Amino acid sequence: MTNLVFPLVSKILSLLVLVGAGVVLVKTKLLKKEDSIALSKISVFLLSPCVIVSSFSMKVDGKAGQSLLLCFFYAILANFLFLFLGTLLRKPLHLSPVEEMSMEYTNCGNFVLPIVASVLGEEYLLYVSAYITVYNLLVWTHGIHLFQGKEEQHKEEQCKEKQSEEKQSEEKQSEEKQSEKEQSRGGQKQNPFLKILFNPNILAILFGVFLFFTKVSLPAPISFAISDLGKMIGPISMLITGIILGSMSFKKILSYRRIYMVTAFRLLFFPFIYLLLISVLSRIDGFLDNPVLFLVTFLSAMAPTAANVSQFAILYGKEEEYASCINIFTTLCTIISMPILVYLSGVILK
């Protein structure tokens, strides 16, 4: 696997060129920072579901099916390890939801798919879908819950304070109206769960699983359209990063002191702990017969912070700038961290 270091560096540099293109578009005033909102919505709610459906639509034989199941195990192990480590560090490091999500979730689709296709070959894209599926199930359930949790608690505390003040000053009629409002709010508390359940990405996973097990083929025009849209996710994601980077000072990014801590955990410590765990489990017969399959998952595990974190921040208006800075900084740092980890994996798993 050490021989893949230079092709990997070349592909990462090409993705960073796309980031530079986004910066140029902003600096030449052809685009504004606000334009990233529309692109984020397209990426999250259209391109990402297309990637999921397209990955499950690939035809596989018996051997490929077994390899896919093994990749699912690798992916589940990686994601739950990262969630465990993030939860473990939450209180000692006083992590905000954005910081914790940035450590736990990786840009496994937008960033990794172009790299795998270029460095390993398009036939390995199917195995990336294992990590993407596990990632999407978690990010659209645990991730959103984590992201919205503290915000909802803060709003509830503010509502309680306002209600106590209103009770002292308002008459009984106003109190009745307020109770009606509270009941309507209480009914709305179920909405976040329903939004998660009927999110296009979750629906895409369910639809993809249906296609995979029933072996139903979509009509050719629809299949081609979904595939073409899915291929856009890498360039669009890098352009979004570039647009945001072009609208802020690089000094501003470096001014966040905790960004170095978050980056170190996301790009180095978390994936390295995962690598050590795999090296221990590799003693089990058949667990690591094909190191390239593990590399597909490992590339996803060592990727920069998930674009969804900054996109959620844009959509929900919470720590938007900080989340974007983490995404940009970790993306730029992968030019150093990824080749190092790939080299180490080749040495440790010999």
Side-chain angles (χ1 to χ4, degrees):
M1 289 190 285
T2 55
N3 61 331
L4 298 175
V5 171
F6 289 109
L8 179 64
V9 171
S10 178
K11 187 58 185 179
I12 294 174
L13 285 173
S14 72
L15 292 176
L16 294 182
V17 169
L18 295 176
V19 175
V23 173
V24 171
L25 289 172
V26 174
K27 295 299 183 182
T28 54
K29 298 184 179 180
L30 292 173
L31 291 178
K32 298 179 181 179
K33 181 182 177 182
E34 290 74 20
D35 295 323
S36 65
I37 298 175
L39 290 175
S40 295
K41 289 181 179 179
I42 292 172
S43 178
V44 172
F45 298 117
L46 176 62
L47 303 185
S48 181
C50 287
V51 170
I52 295 168
V53 173
S54 181
S55 62
F56 276 105
S57 300
M58 296 181 182
K59 295 180 180 179
V60 297
D61 55 20
K63 240 182 190 180
Q66 292 178 357
S67 298
L68 183 61
L69 287 175
L70 185 59
C71 285
F72 264 108
F73 180 78
Y74 291 152
I76 291 170
L77 192 63
N79 278 278
F80 279 93
L81 173 65
F82 295 161
L83 292 185
F84 171 74
L85 293 173
T87 304
L88 198 66
L89 295 171
R90 183 188 302 162
K91 288 185 178 180
L93 298 180
H94 306 287
L95 299 177
S96 69
V98 166
E99 289 173 335
E100 185 175 341
M101 274 196 72
S102 296
M103 290 181 182
E104 294 169 344
Y105 294 102
T106 71
N107 204 347
C108 56
N110 307 355
F111 194 82
V112 175
L113 283 171
I115 291 176
V116 170
S118 175
V119 177
L120 300 177
E122 291 190 1
E123 64 272 19
Y124 284 95
L125 290 178
L126 171 66
Y127 305 116
V128 184
S129 68
Y131 199 102
I132 292 174
T133 301
V134 176
Y135 161 84
N136 275 287
L137 284 172
L138 291 173
V139 79
W140 290 103
T141 51
H142 166 268
I144 286 185
H145 176 73
L146 178 66
F147 197 88
Q148 293 180 335
K150 290 188 177 180
E151 182 181 5
E152 289 178 353
Q153 288 178 4
H154 182 62
K155 285 182 179 179
E156 287 179 1
E157 289 175 0
Q158 286 183 333
C159 286
K160 287 179 181 179
E161 290 177 0
K162 287 181 181 179
Q163 288 170 10
S164 63
E165 292 175 359
E166 287 173 358
K167 282 180 182 179
Q168 294 176 358
S169 60
E170 293 180 352
E171 298 178 352
K172 292 182 180 180
Q173 293 179 353
S174 62
E175 289 178 359
E176 291 176 359
K177 290 180 181 180
Q178 184 182 345
S179 64
E180 290 177 0
K181 289 180 181 179
E182 288 175 355
Q183 288 177 358
S184 64
R185 285 177 185 175
Q188 290 176 355
K189 285 182 180 178
Q190 295 178 352
N191 287 345
F193 175 76
L194 293 176
K195 286 180 180 179
I196 291 171
L197 184 62
F198 294 104
N199 182 277
N201 291 272
I202 296 297
L203 293 177
I205 291 172
L206 297 175
F207 184 59
V209 170
F210 169 78
L211 293 177
F212 183 80
F213 284 105
T214 60
K215 297 182 180 180
V216 173
S217 298
L218 295 172
I222 296 176
S223 180
F224 289 147
I226 290 174
S227 177
D228 290 341
L229 284 170
K231 292 175 183 177
M232 291 171 59
I233 195 168
I236 290 293
S237 177
M238 295 300 102
L239 283 174
I240 292 171
T241 301
I243 291 169
I244 297 170
L245 176 60
S247 61
M248 64 175 64
S249 168
F250 196 69
K251 290 182 180 179
K252 179 68 176 177
I253 298 175
L254 300 179
S255 67
Y256 287 99
R257 295 181 179 179
R258 290 172 65 87
I259 200 171
Y260 305 101
M261 174 194 70
V262 174
T263 301
F265 278 110
R266 167 80 303 277
L267 297 183
L268 295 174
F269 294 118
F270 278 26
F272 187 69
I273 292 172
Y274 176 57
L275 177 60
L276 293 179
L277 178 61
I278 291 296
S279 68
V280 173
L281 295 175
S282 64
R283 298 174 183 176
I284 302 173
D285 289 338
F287 187 80
L288 204 63
D289 286 345
N290 188 348
V292 179
L293 286 179
F294 166 70
L295 181 60
V296 171
T297 304
F298 194 42
L299 286 171
S300 300
M302 70 174 84
T305 294
N308 283 119
V309 180
S310 58
Q311 288 164 359
F312 286 169
I314 293 171
L315 295 175
Y316 292 101
K318 183 179 179 183
E319 288 191 297
E320 174 185 340
E321 187 176 75
Y322 184 36
S324 299
C325 288
I326 293 173
N327 177 257
I328 292 168
F329 192 66
T330 54
T331 300
L332 296 176
C333 288
T334 51
I335 189 65
I336 298 173
S337 63
M338 261 193 166
I340 291 174
L341 286 170
V342 169
Y343 180 81
L344 286 176
S345 67
V347 173
I348 293 175
L349 298 178
K350 265 188 178 181

